[in-house]
Amino acid sequence: MTRFATRFRVGAPAAVLRTAVLALGAQSALALAYLATTEAGVASPRTMAVPVVWVTAAVVGVCHAERPESAADVRAVAAVVGVAYGVGLAWVTGAVAPPAGAAGGLDVLLLPPWWGPLVRYDGASVSVFLFPYRAVGYAALAYLVSLAVRDVAASGRSAAVGGLVALGSCAGCALPLVAGVASVLGGAGVGVGAAVAGETYLFATVAYVLSVAVLTARPTIE
């Protein structure tokens, strides 16, 4: 009977933990600076934890993901795929959308750290509604997807297992995030409490961490 071994690309636990601690420290310093220089306030610990988890996961994933050796043309294709994935995810979640109506221009809202400064832009051809932590999260996923593409090119189809699972799991981020954006744009106000009502953002956060973990480890069936 044939046996299959699954290989995971994960760094040393101590190194991963050290990166996470440094990421938390940096976020704390940035949050204090933001609060000291703006009129933004704070939110409940649960609400504040959402962006902290996203950013920490993003930093750990980007720092510890294995970077396959690839030719220039493969890297170029992988970069295009990663950018397309990031833009597509932003579109699906409502962060980037068709214009809402009359062009309202640029608006910046000073929400609690990592929820703000929230950038809202409504132009003639596109609308943007982006929390800082989500911009970091999407960028990290786009980069990790590009690494997965390079992995597939180097190792064959078995390496795609991690990418497929991660893409599927992060698709679960879409509905909760769209619900949160819709509640704000629909007149529920810009308060973070309305944006994260219920369990939707908890679900999205779990889906995001799972996506980053799988794209970072990129399990390969051998």
Side-chain angles (χ1 to χ4, degrees), residues 5 23 28 40 42 85 111 130-132 170 200 203 214 221:
S28 299
V42 296
Y85 173 78
L111 299 182
L130 199 58
F131 297 110
C170 201
T200 55
F203 173 77
V214 176
I221 298 176

Side-chain angles (χ1 to χ4, degrees), residues 13 16-17 20 25 38 45 91 116 119 141 152 162 174-176 186-187 202 208 215 217 221:
V16 172
L17 179 60
T38 69
W91 184 271
V119 176
L141 282 179
V152 171
L175 185 58
L202 176 61
Y208 179 78
L215 277 170
I221 298 176

Side-chain angles (χ1 to χ4, degrees), residues 88-182:
L89 184 58
W91 184 271
V92 169
T93 58
V96 178
L106 180 65
D107 186 20
V108 179
L109 302 176
L110 299 178
L111 299 182
W114 293 108
W115 289 97
L118 167 64
V119 176
R120 296 191 303 185
Y121 173 76
D122 190 19
S125 57
V126 67
S127 292
V128 177
F129 185 91
L130 199 58
F131 297 110
Y133 82 90
R134 204 180 299 171
V136 173
Y138 291 171
L141 282 179
Y143 177 69
L144 293 173
V145 166
S146 73
L147 294 182
V149 172
R150 289 165 57 181
D151 217 8
V152 171
S155 305
R157 287 182 295 179
S158 64
V161 172
L164 290 175
V165 173
L167 295 181
S169 65
C170 201
C173 300
L175 185 58
L177 293 179
V178 168
V181 171

Side-chain angles (χ1 to χ4, degrees), residues 27 31 35 41-54 111-115 192 196:
Q27 289 178 77
L35 291 172
V42 296
S44 68
R46 182 177 179 181
T47 298
M48 297 287 286
V50 170
V52 171
V53 171
W54 275 61
L111 299 182
W114 293 108
W115 289 97
V192 175
V196 294

